[in-house]
Amino acid sequence: MCAMGGARVITKKTSADFEKMLVAGKCVAAMHTATREAAAPGVTTRDLDNIAREVLADHDCTPSFLGYGSPDNPFPGVICASPNSAIVHGIPGDYTLKDGDIISIDAGAIYEGWHGDAAYTMAIGDVPDDVANLLKVTEEALWAGLAQAKHGNRLGDIGAAISAVAEPHGIGVVRDYVGHGIGRQMHEAPSVPNYGTAGKGLRLKKGMALAIEPMFNLGTQDSVVLDDDWTVVTADGKWSAHFEHTVLITDKGSIVSTLPEPVEV
Ligand code: MG
């Protein structure tokens, strides 16, 4: 899930905190694996949400997303499921996947108070080349951003690396929503934009944890929110992809926590 503003204080995590974030991250990875395996024509996004709920229970984790937001309109799912022109924050429900769709699944988990947050986008069956390329480029941009999440680098290094991957493809880089710090809260400072200037911005330090999440559109960067007050869609109706991982900047290097096995970047 991506940030819409909020806290300013950057919390420093200890190695013990990171251990818990690794457990939460492993659960998120399992939510990804299970939903990816189940996603097929005829499956509803509610079905995928139910599958993700079982994974959370199996991992002794609780959901980051369920109940998130204002008490008037709390998020009702444990995943966000955002098909086609939906960028992020789609509510799982009756939408039935069909051949030629793309679907973004964003998942969050809490283990002993510590969060993990990650998203992927996949094609259901065959999609046109430009859509397949959008998915490939967005995932590539995520890894370009993760590679900059290092002690001593600056926040602008992450955003610059991400937007540089989009540029030659004429892809719209969403600016209305951004990545975020993560820890005891799903959304902590700092905001992590998918654009920026290399060498500028906050200095990254050991003890930080970031959720990096490029959102790329086939058309313009502009977005609108649907009447459910959650689902963010592209303003021009063109399709959108979203990939995200949580990265921990530890004493022993930067570790992507939201994978079946943590990976150093
Ligand atoms: Mg997020």
Side-chain angles (χ1 to χ4, degrees):
M1 196 177 258
C2 48
M4 298 166 278
R8 298 237 173 129
V9 177
I10 298 174
T11 60
K12 185 173 160 56
K13 284 83 182 174
T14 66
S15 58
D17 302 336
F18 282 145
E19 286 303 318
K20 290 174 183 168
M21 292 186 76
L22 284 166
V23 177
K26 192 161 276 203
C27 177
V28 171
M31 293 165 85
H32 280 198
T33 300
T35 53
R36 190 186 279 276
E37 284 174 359
V43 172
T44 68
T45 52
R46 183 180 290 107
D47 295 334
L48 300 179
D49 191 71
N50 286 332
I51 287 164
R53 286 173 196 247
E54 289 174 19
V55 175
L56 280 161
D58 288 347
H59 285 74
D60 296 323
C61 287
T62 53
S64 304
F65 299 177
L66 185 67
Y68 187 82
S70 84
D72 297 343
N73 188 26
F75 194 78
V78 303
I79 58 169
C80 301
S82 308
N84 303 338
S85 63
I87 302 171
V88 287
H89 303 168
I91 295 174
D94 294 333
Y95 185 84
T96 304
L97 297 174
K98 60 184 186 303
D99 191 42
D101 278 353
I102 58 171
I103 180 76
S104 161
I105 301 295
D106 195 345
I110 308 169
Y111 179 73
E112 293 188 358
W114 294 88
H115 289 256
D117 183 11
Y120 69 89
T121 305
M122 68 180 284
I124 307 298
D126 290 326
V127 295
D129 287 349
D130 61 339
V131 174
N133 188 57
L134 175 72
L135 269 54
K136 178 172 161 284
V137 168
T138 313
E139 188 168 21
E140 190 184 322
L142 168 60
W143 285 97
L146 289 167
Q148 296 299 323
K150 289 187 183 305
H151 176 84
N153 276 9
R154 290 187 183 269
L155 206 53
D157 296 327
I158 296 174
I162 289 171
S163 58
V165 174
E167 201 160 306
H169 299 274
I171 279 169
V173 178
V174 174
R175 288 177 172 241
D176 294 342
Y177 300 86
V178 294
H180 49 94
I182 181 169
R184 280 195 177 277
Q185 304 295 324
M186 174 166 59
H187 293 147
E188 297 185 356
S191 291
V192 183
N194 295 307
Y195 53 90
T197 306
K200 300 284 187 191
L202 180 82
R203 180 85 68 184
L204 304 178
K205 291 182 180 162
K206 292 171 188 171
M208 288 184 182
L210 304 175
I212 298 177
E213 47 183 321
M215 291 151 260
F216 283 4
N217 300 344
L218 275 181
T220 69
Q221 66 182 46
D222 302 328
S223 63
V224 291
V225 180
L226 298 185
D227 286 344
D228 62 20
D229 282 336
W230 279 108
T231 311
V232 181
V233 301
T234 58
D236 60 11
K238 294 188 178 176
W239 288 14
S240 180
H242 175 215
F243 283 83
E244 175 181 20
H245 276 304
T246 297
V247 59
L248 317 177
I249 307 177
T250 80
D251 290 338
K252 295 171 184 164
S254 294
I255 311 288
V256 179
S257 64
T258 40
L259 287 166
E261 293 300 329
V263 164
E264 188 171 346
V265 287

